Structures are given as C-alpha cells and as structure tokens.
Amino acid sequence: MDTNDQYGGHHDTGRPRLRARGRARGAVPRRVRLAAAAGTAALALTAGLATPLDPAPQEALAAGDGKRTLTVAVAQSVDSLSPFLAVRLLSTSIHRLTYDYLTNYDPGDNHVVPGLATRWKSSPDKLTWTYTIRSDSKWSDGKRATAEDAAWTFHTMMTDEGAATANGSFVANFEEVTAPSPTELVIRLKKPQATMTALDVPIVPRHVWEKVDDFSKFNNDEDLPVVGNGPFVLTGYKADSYVRLEANEDFWRGAPKFDELIFRYYKDQDAAVSALRKGEVSFVAGSPSLTPAQAASLGNEKNIKVNDAPGRRFYALAANPGARAGNGEKMGDGHPSLLDRRVRNALFRAVDRKTIVDKVFQGHAVDGAGYIPPRYAQYFWEPSAGQELAYDPGEAARLLDRAGFRKNGDGKRVGADGKPLNYRILCHATDPNDKAIGKYLEEWWGDLGIGVTLHCLDNVTDPWLAGEYDLAFDGWSVNPDPDFVLSIHTCGALPATPEDTGATDNFICDKKYDGLYAQQLAEYDPAERASLVKRMQSRLYDLGYMNVMAYPNAVEAYRTDQIESITTMPSKAGNIYGQDGYWSWWSAVPADSDEGSGDSSPTGVVVGIVAAAVLLTGLGVFVAMRRRATAEDRE
C-alpha cells in the first residue's frame, strides 16, 4: 500500500497505509523512541513577513513571479522523507511524486501499467523475473536512472535492517537481484510470489543513497532539493508545517501543469476548510476525509467542488490480543479478558454499525466487515448469515455471562476476581470520528455493564508500539494489490523483541492465518488468489481482534477557480488525495492556464501559503526518528 497507508495506517496505520508496508521477515530495526518534546510558538505574522521559525512566507512571495502553485491542506505531518522509513499516507504520497516505481496502476481501473519498467516477464517456473528499464528516465541531478539503481534499492532492503523498515515484506522472498545491463533488472525468488507486478517500492538513486551510514536514522530532510526522477522534485520542507515540490520538466511522462505543489499542514481541520473557503488553499483532504458537516458547508459554496466517492480505507476497532514479541516475551498491559474470544465477540455484538454509518459518517460510508473495501470487488468479502456478528446486545450479554463476567448488584460486569470490567480505548485527539464513536461505545458497552475510558492523544504511536492499550481505533488505506495490508497480521511482522519495532499492526499471530497468507502470496491464478484472500479476511473476522466497522468515503474539496480539472482514481468514482500513483497532482490543470477556462490568477494560490502560515499557531520541533504509523497514518 502506498502507505496508511495507515489511518493509524496505520499505522496509515496507517497506519495507512494501508499504504504502508512490512519489513523483511526476521529483519527488525531497533526501536527509536521520541527524543524531544515539541515546542510551540505563537506566531503573529503579516503577509510577506519571514521569521527564523518559518521562512516560507518570504519564499512564497518570491515564488509569485508567474509560477502556478497548487496548495494542498493536509491534516497529517510527515513521519520521514526517507522511502525506506516512511509509512504515513502523506509521506508515501510524496514519494510517489518524487521517485518512480517499477510499475504503476492505471487511474481508470487500477490495472498494472509501466513505470520505470516498460515491460516484464517471468520464467516458466515463476522464480525469475526480468524487467526492462526505460532509457528515458533521469535523476533530477542529470544522471540517468538505470537498472543498477533498482537492483541496489532492493538489495539494500534485503541486507540492511533499517532499509527494510517500511517495505521489507516485498523483498523477504528475494534470492538475488542483479542488473546485467543499464536496461535489464533480474530478480530471482526463493518461491513464486504473486506481487511481482505490484512491488510498491520507490526506486532511489544509488549514487546518492550509497553514502548513507544508518538507514534507520537517515530522514532525507536536510540536503535539498532531493534527487528524484518522479513528476515533481522536493525542494523545501519544514517539519509540521509544509512540503514544497517543483515540477520536473524532464519527467519521462511529461511535466506537470502546475509549476509548484505545496502540502500545508493544518492541525485544526476547520481552519483548513476556512482557508479553502477564502481561496488561501486550493484543496482540502481532511483527516483523512472531511466531516459530513464540513462537506455540507462547502457543498453550495461558489467555486468549490466537493468530491465524495467510495474510499480505499477501512475503519476499525482493534482489541489487544495479548501483545508479545516474536521471541515470545509479553509486551504492554492489555486487559486479559480480551484473550477470551467470547468477550471479543460480545464487544462486536454490542457495536451498531448502522448507527455509526448513519449518525457519525452521516451516510458517507458503508458497513464494514472484512479488510478490503467494496471498491476492490475482486477481493471484497462479507460474512455469511450464520457467521456474521450482527448487532445483538442480548446475545452480547449472554456471551459475557458464559465467559464468567456477570453483573453485580451495581450493574457492573465483574470477573472471578470481583473487579469491574473496564476498558481503555486509544483514540486520536484530532479525529472527530474516534471521539463520536467513542461516545456511542460508552453508551452501548455501558448498558452491558462495561466501563469505557477514552484515551484521546496527539501521539498514539508510543502506547500502540508498546502494546499499552486495551482497544484502539485503527484503519488503513488498501492498495489494488492487498498483500501489504494482509502481511501486517502475520507472526513474522511481530517485533523480534520488546525493544524492537516490527511491521505488525495489532500484534496478531495466528498460524492458520499465516498458512493462508503464504498460499495467496505464491498463487498466480487471480481467482484462486482472490479466494484465499477472502478466506484470510474470514479468519481475521472469526478471531475477533479487529472489528471493521465501516468503509468511509473519500470526502474532499477543491477550488474550481484554481483547479480547472483533476484526475480521480478510479476515474469514474474515485479519490484525489492519497492515490495509488501520482495521477491527481500530475494531471491537475490550473484554472488560468491555456488548457483551462478559469479567470483566476495564480497569485491567490501563492498568497494562500502566507495566510496558511498565519493560521498555524504551533510548530512542532522535528526530531530525527522513525515513528511507526497507527490508525491515523497509513495510506
């Protein structure tokens, strides 16, 4: 997944994604803890005034000499600009724009199309794959991009634990990678692997990255502009503030039509919506989507278009399965009652998905069940009538009774030790959906006699990684190929020890699930593989550790007086932000260009950068670290 991918995930968490990925099995880098507290500074800025804290306003005005700038308001900050570390949706989206991948996905229907590789073929036994690397791609420093760059990228992920952090699962089955010539890449596998045309890994320039000493710490955020070969070149960055990219005039598919693309971070989503309404930004994606109230308020605004389409994310409630590391050591402090499937199923039974869809998402979502949203019809799964854990508070109460948690005289559920049953739910302080659903859980589970405490934090990563939660809101963006979002629940994704960081989303380890995962990874027949993927989702559903409550729509908005046209993915009813590719921003046509019919000038967009800076009242101090995505992050 293009990492959050996690809404965590996301990890996208992504998580996330999911457009996040896993690491090579058995290759786990050491955990890097938060090392510094973020400072805040009250900014009193006027247009064009630069300060040592934020030089962007002055730079933005300097860029106003005819440049067409597209400003995107985002509610997520960058975790890392290193393709080897990044898992958050924003970060991986930026990497889609700055580096080419071997293949891409067609914006029309998600089928695989050429990227850095123009064609590919496999040997009869499916163990050797040969890719033809295009000869017309070059790095932004003028050097040619070759098969050697791709071979070095994959080999580094195979041999360096730090480099395997984000995408290691893609190369875990690689035996050898070579580049016999500048246009030929050869990958030999240990066993067949069905994802060989969907290796969602940014290819980096060897001559730049071979100088890196420690891939687990290098964030790629100091030496600007960043050398890449995608449609944009990353030229400016300030942590928790903005990312600036400029059009790559030499991109092999053709240069973007906007000269400059800026992602501007807003911690307050209402402020971002207000900026869009004033014309200070061109596009708002939300966190990760606009709330129904925000979408409704923009629906009738002049020069604003709301895009509301089926999304590529799932929204879930994760139960701590008794977190442990790969070496068997226990982690965290999850409630021991959650080890009982009857208790987990009771919690499922006491969640009314229809109310969540109707009242919280107000119809901008559909009921959830499996990991793959309906948008990907080939892999979409629904439980059978006899399998479904439908909303049934009476059955939930009976399950709790059978599990030994009965109500006392005060109406509280207590166990054999006489202690009341109380759960902590980890949620994201900036996500209104978490808070709204949390209130419903307090009511629904309270009727069962269960206490609920919402722990809404700005940073959910640390307690999530440590297993210090009972339940947590989770979600990921899913790729057209679902391998990554499935891999994060394998035993191999667990951290090697409690001191390490694994690729796991929720510490799930189930041998039956692992067997199905291995089968689908080696299955080339599309129908057979889809059947295995559905069985995997069924197994996760039955285990009861992940309650997928909804598949939210992608709800976003942009100004039609600044953007004449833009590509959604899929083209008929898809999202703009967080695509599996670079199509939206690469294709966007300025409203005042020769190709458009708008009458606005680019000045309003550029000045919006300054106004957006005024709205940011707190700038976090960036710490060089690798932060794991959870349910706020992944693509």
Side-chain angles (χ1 to χ4, degrees):
M1 30 196 215
D2 238 19
T3 154
N4 141 241
D5 276 350
Q6 184 182 16
Y7 165 77
H10 204 65
H11 154 7
D12 199 190
T13 76
R15 240 254 172 172
R17 29 226 310 229
L18 328 171
R19 182 36 133 244
R21 337 267 172 218
R23 75 174 52 260
R25 303 297 182 253
V28 186
R30 59 186 175 278
R31 175 171 297 172
V32 182
R33 292 283 189 177
L34 278 170
T40 59
L43 304 181
L45 300 179
T46 58
L49 175 62
T51 73
L53 284 176
D54 190 358
Q58 188 173 20
E59 294 173 10
L61 288 180
D65 52 355
K67 283 190 177 180
R68 295 186 176 93
T69 302
L70 194 164
T71 307
V72 178
V74 295
Q76 186 181 75
S77 58
V78 169
D79 57 339
S80 177
L81 290 176
S82 165
F84 296 109
L85 301 181
V87 292
R88 290 186 175 177
L89 177 58
L90 174 60
S91 308
T92 56
S93 296
I94 290 169
H95 291 143
R96 279 280 186 185
L97 297 169
T98 53
Y99 299 100
D100 221 349
Y101 293 41
L102 287 183
T103 60
N104 212 325
Y105 301 102
D106 185 88
D109 60 5
N110 293 321
H111 75 267
V112 176
V113 296
L116 184 61
T118 59
R119 59 183 182 271
W120 44 88
K121 63 180 180 180
S122 69
S123 60
D125 62 4
K126 306 292 187 182
L127 293 179
T128 300
W129 285 76
T130 302
Y131 301 82
T132 300
I133 303 301
R134 64 176 59 256
S135 59
D136 57 348
S137 175
K138 65 180 182 179
W139 301 109
S140 52
D141 62 2
K143 296 182 182 296
R144 179 180 169 185
T146 69
E148 180 60 31
D149 294 304
W152 184 88
T153 299
F154 291 126
H155 180 75
T156 301
M157 292 165 58
M158 294 164 61
T159 57
D160 188 288
E161 293 180 354
T165 298
N167 301 310
S169 63
F170 286 109
V171 302
N173 182 45
F174 286 14
E175 181 70 38
E176 182 184 38
V177 183
T178 58
S181 76
T183 58
E184 185 179 7
L185 174 72
V186 180
I187 300 177
R188 288 200 304 112
L189 305 174
K190 300 172 186 176
K191 56 186 178 182
Q193 180 171 324
T195 60
M196 295 307 290
T197 59
L199 297 173
D200 294 324
V201 176
I203 304 302
V204 302
R206 174 177 182 171
H207 66 279
V208 174
W209 283 84
E210 64 184 356
K211 302 172 186 177
V212 174
D213 293 326
D214 189 343
F215 287 95
S216 69
K217 295 181 178 179
F218 182 70
N219 280 290
N220 197 31
D221 58 354
E222 295 182 357
D223 190 8
L224 302 175
V226 170
V227 177
N229 63 339
F232 288 89
V233 178
L234 200 161
T235 59
Y237 170 67
K238 185 171 180 63
D240 297 327
S241 182
Y242 67 89
V243 179
R244 177 181 291 110
L245 303 104
E246 294 184 7
N248 180 1
E249 299 296 333
D250 296 321
F251 183 51
W252 63 268
R253 198 183 290 274
K257 298 171 180 63
F258 274 94
D259 302 307
E260 195 171 50
L261 172 64
I262 293 179
F263 293 97
R264 172 66 65 177
Y265 172 68
Y266 285 81
K267 185 175 181 179
D268 185 335
Q269 188 167 313
D270 285 332
V273 170
S274 177
L276 179 76
R277 186 176 283 110
K278 296 174 183 176
E280 296 169 350
V281 299
S282 316
F283 179 96
V284 172
S287 175
S289 295
L290 297 178
T291 67
Q294 290 167 340
S297 73
L298 294 172
N300 296 319
E301 289 276 347
K302 182 181 179 182
N303 297 325
I304 291 180
K305 177 178 176 59
V306 174
N307 183 51
D308 186 353
R312 53 188 288 254
R313 304 183 67 86
F314 67 78
Y315 184 89
L317 188 64
N320 190 326
R324 63 183 60 228
N327 64 1
E329 289 187 54
K330 294 182 179 180
M331 298 175 60
D333 56 3
H335 201 291
S337 66
L338 295 173
L339 299 179
D340 191 322
R341 188 185 299 191
R342 293 169 298 184
V343 173
R344 300 194 300 271
N345 286 354
L347 298 181
F348 261 58
R349 292 282 196 178
V351 173
D352 186 352
R353 291 175 178 79
K354 187 176 187 304
T355 292
I356 289 174
V357 169
D358 292 346
K359 301 297 184 181
V360 177
F361 292 101
Q362 296 183 27
H364 298 277
V366 295
D367 289 3
Y371 268 43
I372 315 299
R375 168 167 164 170
Y376 303 113
Q378 180 182 7
Y379 299 111
F380 178 62
W381 170 86
E382 293 180 285
S384 63
Q387 181 183 19
E388 183 182 7
L389 295 170
Y391 180 57
D392 187 341
E395 177 61 18
R398 288 187 288 273
L399 285 168
L400 290 170
D401 286 342
R402 290 196 289 271
F405 294 95
R406 297 180 177 274
K407 284 187 176 182
N408 62 13
D410 296 325
K412 304 295 184 182
R413 292 277 171 181
V414 296
D417 57 5
K419 293 182 179 179
L421 201 56
N422 293 290
Y423 293 130
R424 305 159 300 163
I425 302 180
L426 191 62
C427 80
H428 303 80
T430 57
D431 193 325
N433 293 327
D434 284 8
K435 295 177 181 178
I437 295 172
K439 293 298 182 183
Y440 277 111
L441 295 178
E442 289 177 344
E443 175 187 341
W444 294 331
W445 293 358
D447 291 342
L448 288 174
I450 297 173
V452 172
T453 301
L454 292 177
H455 283 186
C456 296
L457 308 173
D458 287 330
N459 168 33
V460 301
T461 301
D462 282 358
W464 191 293
L465 283 174
E468 296 170 352
Y469 62 95
D470 297 329
L471 298 110
F473 289 105
D474 192 10
W476 289 78
S477 293
V478 181
N479 298 337
D481 188 291
D483 177 73
F484 176 78
V485 75
L486 301 173
S487 75
I488 58 178
H489 293 307
T490 59
C491 299
L494 294 174
T497 74
E499 299 305 315
D500 294 307
T501 298
T504 186
D505 175 43
N506 192 45
F507 297 96
I508 294 173
C509 178
D510 177 70
K511 295 302 182 181
K512 182 176 181 179
Y513 177 87
D514 275 19
L516 292 169
Y517 176 78
Q519 289 181 57
Q520 69 81 31
L521 185 60
E523 181 56 67
Y524 283 95
D525 181 87
E528 287 297 325
R529 185 175 182 226
S531 176
L532 288 165
V533 168
K534 291 176 182 179
R535 288 173 61 189
M536 294 175 70
Q537 295 178 78
S538 177
R539 178 62 179 171
L540 283 174
Y541 185 89
D542 289 342
L543 288 173
Y545 293 117
M546 298 292 293
N547 182 355
V548 177
M549 298 178 288
Y551 307 114
N553 286 7
V555 186
E556 49 204 0
Y558 64 93
R559 294 199 62 91
T560 57
D561 56 352
Q562 296 179 8
I563 301 174
E564 173 70 19
S565 63
I566 194 166
T567 298
T568 61
M569 184 178 184
S571 56
K572 291 184 178 180
N575 56 295
I576 295 171
Y577 178 73
Q579 294 182 356
D580 293 290
Y582 42 68
W583 309 111
S584 54
W585 313 125
W586 173 77
S587 71
V589 176
D592 67 337
S593 73
D594 293 338
E595 300 177 52
S597 58
D599 57 1
S600 66
S601 75
T603 305
V605 185
V606 176
V607 173
I609 302 167
V610 180
V614 177
L615 293 171
L616 290 172
T617 58
L619 297 177
V621 177
F622 180 73
V623 181
M625 64 182 181
R626 179 246 195 263
R627 290 186 291 177
R628 177 84 171 93
T630 53
E632 83 199 33
D633 300 326
R634 275 310 263 265
E635 167 173 25

